[in-house]
Amino acid sequence: MIAYRQPLPLGRSLLLGAAGTLAFLGLWAGLARSGLVPHIFLPAPLEVAERFAVLVTHPFAGGTLLAHLASSVLRFLGGFLLAAIVGIPLGLMMGWSRLLDDIVTPIFDALRFIAPIAWVPFAALWFGTGIGGPLLIIFAGAFPPCLINAYRGARYVDRRLIEAAAMLGTPGHRVITEVMLPAALPSIVAGLRVSAGLGWQSLVGAELIVASTGVGYMMVQAQGAVSTTTVMVGMAAIGLVGVAIDLGLRLAEARIRAHLGQA
């Protein structure tokens, strides 16, 4: 029998998180001061924090850190929303229609195992450094979880609800939007969390190669200038934005589950 752990009180959870963060920073600072790694390759945490503050107001590689972040977030939102707009309805329709499921599944199963970064050469050939390349790569990373979770949510809907709606003469599109979608919503939102994480990671990979703005582009330029602090600032910014995106989706998921009585 599996024993499920009880959630820790918020205060204790925050305290443990702070302790873990301080331990990590202490280890990093100690390693930087030890001289085991050349300083040019491992600056101290304080130096990275100072560089972070500088990049917020001073341009690097054509823009400030906030400008590069804005470019990255806009690209991410474009690819992520496109993946959700296509993947969620398609997943629900596949859960509703066995015929559509049989048609789409073989193609989808073949494409979803292609890593998003593998689309980079194709995207570069088609779009160069325009917005189309990163959007394609983000879409490739974010689309599969959207479709899979919508499909699974639809498949686990109580069939009696669907049969009752069919007996009442409810059109198929209304069964999908008014019966299947509300029941599958928790699964869909959980899929969006996974999708957002993969899409954000895919974006940064794309910007390292097929972009002329964004945090990934800034990091490539910093690498060429041997500015390790700037590279690490970019990594920190990527992590912070990723945490913020995931936190927002977690809050949305918790509210939806509470509304549906699944908290």
Side-chain angles (χ1 to χ4, degrees):
M1 181 177 180
I2 300 176
Y4 293 96
R5 65 176 188 176
Q6 294 295 322
L8 294 172
L10 179 60
R12 185 177 179 188
S13 179
L14 292 174
L15 183 62
L16 290 173
T21 302
L22 289 174
F24 169 75
L25 292 174
L27 180 62
W28 175 6
L31 186 59
R33 289 178 60 88
S34 69
L36 294 175
V37 180
H39 178 265
I40 192 173
F41 298 127
L42 186 64
L46 184 58
E47 294 177 66
V48 176
E50 291 171 349
R51 182 60 175 164
F52 194 107
V54 168
L55 289 173
V56 168
T57 55
H58 291 72
F60 180 87
T64 63
L65 175 62
L66 296 181
H68 285 299
L69 273 176
S71 296
S72 295
V73 170
L74 287 175
R75 289 191 186 105
F76 164 77
L77 289 176
F80 175 64
L81 292 176
L82 182 62
I85 290 169
V86 176
I88 292 172
L90 182 58
L92 291 173
M93 289 188 292
M94 288 170 63
W96 164 252
S97 170
R98 178 61 62 87
L99 176 62
L100 183 62
D101 189 4
D102 291 340
I103 292 172
V104 174
T105 295
I107 303 170
F108 174 71
D109 282 345
L111 292 176
R112 73 186 179 98
F113 288 108
I114 301 175
I117 202 70
W119 290 94
V120 167
F122 184 77
L125 288 171
W126 269 44
F127 302 106
T129 59
I131 193 171
L135 285 182
L136 173 62
I137 296 163
I138 297 162
F139 179 86
F143 175 69
C146 289
L147 187 147
I148 291 171
N149 279 58
Y151 173 78
R152 287 179 177 172
R155 295 293 292 172
Y156 284 116
V157 173
D158 190 339
R159 308 311 294 180
R160 291 174 295 181
L161 296 175
I162 298 175
E163 292 168 2
M167 289 178 61
L168 293 172
T170 307
H173 69 277
R174 290 189 61 189
V175 173
I176 293 174
T177 57
E178 298 179 17
V179 178
M180 299 181 74
L181 176 59
L185 204 53
S187 177
I188 290 172
V189 177
L192 288 175
R193 284 185 59 196
V194 179
S195 174
L198 291 174
W200 184 243
Q201 294 172 29
S202 302
L203 162 70
V204 175
E207 287 184 341
L208 292 172
I209 305 169
V210 290
S212 56
T213 58
V215 181
Y217 173 77
M218 183 189 78
M219 291 169 64
V220 169
Q221 300 305 306
Q223 176 195 2
V226 198
S227 178
T228 308
T229 52
T230 303
V231 173
M232 297 181 79
V233 165
M235 294 172 65
I238 290 166
L240 290 172
V241 173
V243 168
I245 293 170
D246 186 65
L247 180 59
L249 289 171
R250 285 174 65 184
L251 292 173
E253 181 182 12
R255 295 192 66 175
I256 289 171
R257 289 187 179 276
H259 180 71
L260 296 174
Q262 299 179 3

